[in-house]
C-alpha cells in the first residue's frame, strides 16, 4: 500500500488563533508535528493540508510539503478527503496538527490496524483513570465491542459504571485517524448528522451511516495544544526529553 500522512492545519481558532504557527523553541508547532511524522518509515509522503497562505509560506520556508485546500471544510477529515482527491495513495493517515510530541509508534499502530483487510476506518484508544479526566468534556470517551469496533464515542462519561460491582474500564479516544481511500472519499461526501454536531466527534458521522470504526488500544499518549498556556507544558516535556 502507498500510505500518505496528512496534517490538517487551519489558522482560525476561537481559543488559539494561529496555533499551527505558535513558536516552540524557535520552530512553528506544525514543524514539530511534521518532523515526528517523517520518523515513520511506513509513510510514503507527508503533507500539511491548509487553507491559509500564512501557513503555506511557513511550510515552504521550513521545507515541508503543503497542499492548499478549500476554506469551506468543517472538519479535518473533510480536508484530508480533498487531499485524497489530489494525491495518489491507498491509505491516508489524519494526524493532529496540535500534537508536537506525537509518538511515531502511534502512527505505526494505526497503520497496523489495516493488516485486517476488512478494516476501512481505524483509530486508537487509551485506558484512563481518575474522575477529573474521565468527567472532562474535553476528553472524548469510546466504548468498543469485543472485536474492537466502536459502539459509541461521547464527551459524556461512557460507560457510566453506575453498578460498582461490575465496573468497566474507561477509554479515551486518541484522535488519530486512518482511512482507505475509497472510504475516505465516500465519507467526505456525507452530511454531518446531528449526533456528530452535538458531540463534535467526527467518527459518529461514519457510524450514523452504518460504517464500522476499528479501534486499537495504545499505551502511548500525546499532549494536545488547545490553549496558549499549553505551549509551556510541551516545552517542559521537551526539556525532560532533551529535545
Amino acid at each position: 500500500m502507498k500510505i500518505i500522512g496528512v496534517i490538517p492545519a487551519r489558522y482560525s481558532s476561537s481559543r488559539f488563533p494561529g496555533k499551527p504557527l505558535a513558536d516552540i523553541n524557535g520552530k512553528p508547532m506544525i514543524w514539530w508535528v511534521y518532523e515526528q511524522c517523517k520518523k515513520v518509515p511506513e509513510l510514503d509522503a507527508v503533507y500539511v493540508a491548509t487553507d491559509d497562505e500564512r501557513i503555506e509560506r511557513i511550510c515552504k520556508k521550513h521545507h515541508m510539503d503543503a497542499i492548499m485546500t478549500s476554506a469551506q471544510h468543517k472538519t479535518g477529515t473533510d480536508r484530508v478527503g480533498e487531499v485524497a482527491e489530489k494525491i495518489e495513495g491507498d491509505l491516508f493517515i489524519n494526524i493532529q496538527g496540535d500534537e508536537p510530541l506525537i509518538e511515531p509508534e502511534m502512527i505505526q499502530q494505526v497503520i497496523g490496524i489495516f493488516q485486517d483487510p476488512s478494516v476501512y476506518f481505524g483509530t486508537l484508544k487509551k485506558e484512563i483513570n481518575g474522575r477529573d479526566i474521565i468527567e472532562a468534556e474535553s476528553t472524548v470517551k469510546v466504548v468498543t465491542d469485543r472485536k474492537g469496533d466502536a459502539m459509541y464515542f461521547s464527551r459524556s462519561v461512557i460507560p457510566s459504571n453506575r453498578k460498582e460491582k461490575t465496573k468497566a474500564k474507561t477509554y479515551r479516544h486518541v484522535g488519530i485517524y486512518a482511512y482507505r481511500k475509497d472510504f475516505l472519499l465516500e465519507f467526505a461526501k456525507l452530511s454531518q448528522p446531528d449526533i456528530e454536531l452535538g458531540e463534535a466527534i467526527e467518527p459518529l458521522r461514519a457510524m450514523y451511516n452504518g460504517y464500522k470504526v476499528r479501534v486499537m488500544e495504545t499505551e502511548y499518549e500525546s499532549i494536545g495544544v488547545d490553549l496558549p498556556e499549553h505551549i509551556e507544558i510541551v516545552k517542559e516535556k521537551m526539556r525532560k526529553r532533551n529535545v
Side-chain angles (χ1 to χ4, degrees), residues 5 33 170 205 215:
V33 180
T170 304
R205 188 190 322 177
V215 187

Side-chain angles (χ1 to χ4, degrees), residues 16 18-35 58-59 61-64 97 100 231 234-235 238 243:
F16 194 170
K19 182 166 60 171
L21 305 184
D23 183 270
I24 300 177
N25 296 336
K27 295 291 178 72
M29 181 165 61
I30 195 70
W31 180 87
W32 291 99
V33 180
Y34 191 90
E35 287 298 299
I58 287 295
C59 288
K61 178 180 177 180
H62 292 279
H63 309 290
M64 295 182 279
I231 295 291
V234 171
K235 287 182 177 179
M238 286 181 171
V243 175

